[in-house]
Amino acid sequence: MPRALRDTFDAGLRRLAAEPYGLGSTPVKGDPDRREATVGGVVVRYYVSASVLTVTVVRAVYV
């Protein structure tokens, strides 16, 4: 991933981590804690665990 895109992606992930249910994210298969969003041009699928304030990215697709 080019450095400029990586910087944009990292900044977007920081914003997403602060607001995991916002920023245009959508639930996956009806599960509100399983989310998908496009961050800096990269599609990210992630889980939100509010009880421990953790966002875990399980898939990032960069083409």
Side-chain angles (χ1 to χ4, degrees):
M1 178 182 293
R3 185 69 191 168
L5 179 56
R6 177 62 189 258
D7 291 343
T8 301
F9 177 69
D10 287 346
L13 277 184
R14 284 191 292 276
R15 288 191 348 259
L16 188 66
E19 193 179 340
Y21 295 101
L23 300 176
S25 70
T26 58
V28 174
K29 296 185 180 178
D31 182 349
D33 292 329
R34 186 175 178 193
R35 314 285 300 173
E36 187 171 276
T38 301
V39 178
V42 178
V43 177
V44 178
R45 186 169 285 185
Y46 59 98
Y47 292 99
V48 179
S49 179
S51 62
V52 292
L53 299 174
T54 300
V55 175
T56 303
V57 175
V58 294
R59 181 180 295 168
V61 178
Y62 160 70
V63 181

